[in-house]
Amino acid sequence: MMNFPIISLEKLNGVERKDTMEKIKDACENWGFFELVNHGIPHDLMDTLERLTKEHYRKCMEHRFKEVISSKGLDVVQTEVKDMDWESTFHVRHLPESNISEIPDLSDEYRKVMKEFSLRLEKLAEELLDLLCENLGLEKGYLKKAFYGSRGPTFGTKVANCPQCPNPELVKGLRAHTDAGGIILLFQDDKVSGLQLLKDGQWVDVPQCALHRCQPW
């Protein structure tokens, strides 16, 4: 496996700060992606969000997803499918105005946990932007202001479940794509692998770091 970039944010507070900043710089220039450990978001909050997300899928989305798959004949497909993503999703908008109260079927607990998680993600994203400013020789807050624009930032969460596929050799989970946005924080499933990154023309498996609860960027 390639030397995959893993960044520990707690090392920014000690003698290893310079080396950590160099690792971030190298990851941005040569990967466009890195995994974060010790990022400050409590593990119990992440565990609760993961549990509620999976419970919500099983209760409210799984049946609808299976109906769609069946209606398209994808449960008995015989040839490779190249024009769809095998995922069940919904989107939560946090900024400029939250729509979480408008999303049907979410429990009160799920809404509360999602709001708390989004606040911590926003803080983490701003911290990362300032680290990028430091590496680029820009004043603190420069990138945050650039992304805010004149009307404030656009910030949201895509919640995705990738159910087990009866024909995984014929249907990819997600097609190759480039995420849109200034900075992307991805909460990776700690039990099911599958995330890949295109590096120098080769698809590289993103390692699972369940022990440390990594969060890829």
Side-chain angles (χ1 to χ4, degrees):
M1 178 184 291
M2 295 183 182
N3 189 21
F4 201 90
I6 299 178
I7 308 297
S8 174
L9 288 189
E10 70 175 6
K11 292 185 177 180
L12 292 168
N13 300 319
V15 295
E16 297 180 80
R17 179 180 179 84
K18 182 177 179 181
D19 289 341
T20 302
M21 292 299 293
E22 282 296 322
K23 289 180 179 179
I24 294 175
K25 180 176 182 291
D26 179 73
C28 291
E29 291 180 348
N30 297 301
W31 290 80
F33 190 101
F34 54 81
E35 293 210 35
L36 287 174
V37 296
N38 302 314
H39 41 65
I41 299 180
H43 293 177
D44 59 348
L45 176 62
M46 297 173 69
D47 289 338
T48 300
L49 182 66
E50 184 176 9
R51 173 180 60 81
L52 292 172
T53 296
K54 292 179 178 180
E55 288 178 358
H56 176 262
Y57 171 75
R58 288 192 295 268
K59 180 180 178 181
C60 304
M61 301 180 71
E62 183 175 26
H63 180 68
R64 292 197 293 268
F65 179 79
K66 289 182 177 180
E67 285 184 337
V68 171
I69 294 302
S70 178
S71 69
K72 295 182 177 180
L74 295 173
D75 49 345
V76 292
V77 66
Q78 299 296 316
T79 58
E80 185 176 1
V81 177
K82 299 181 180 181
D83 60 350
M84 71 159 289
D85 296 322
W86 190 274
E87 63 172 355
S88 175
T89 69
F90 66 93
H91 293 79
V92 182
R93 185 179 66 252
H94 306 301
L95 296 173
E97 293 183 1
S98 174
N99 72 338
I100 195 168
S101 63
E102 303 167 11
I103 299 175
D105 303 324
L106 297 185
S107 67
D108 290 341
E109 181 185 13
Y110 196 5
R111 296 181 203 274
K112 179 180 178 181
V113 171
M114 178 65 77
K115 288 179 180 178
E116 181 180 354
F117 186 65
S118 69
L119 290 174
R120 291 182 179 272
L121 274 187
E122 184 181 7
K123 181 179 178 181
L124 177 59
E126 291 179 349
E127 180 181 356
L128 289 171
L129 287 175
D130 280 339
L131 292 175
L132 300 186
C133 284
E134 184 176 340
N135 265 337
L136 291 169
L138 301 172
E139 65 180 69
K140 185 177 181 180
Y142 182 93
L143 290 176
K144 176 181 175 179
K145 292 177 183 177
F147 286 129
Y148 268 41
S150 60
R151 295 185 296 176
T154 298
F155 169 39
T157 297
K158 174 185 175 182
V159 183
N161 285 274
C162 297
Q164 184 175 355
C165 179
N167 296 290
E169 70 282 359
L170 299 178
V171 184
K172 292 182 173 63
L174 270 72
R175 292 165 290 178
H177 64 279
T178 299
D179 286 338
I183 188 167
I184 307 296
L185 291 166
L186 173 62
F187 182 1
Q188 186 182 12
D189 191 294
D190 64 329
K191 297 181 178 63
V192 180
S193 61
L195 182 62
Q196 291 185 317
L197 175 71
L198 186 62
K199 164 70 170 168
D200 299 331
Q202 297 183 355
W203 287 102
V204 180
D205 291 332
V206 175
Q208 285 179 276
C209 299
L211 180 62
H212 302 291
R213 296 310 300 269
C214 288
Q215 212 168 353
W217 171 53

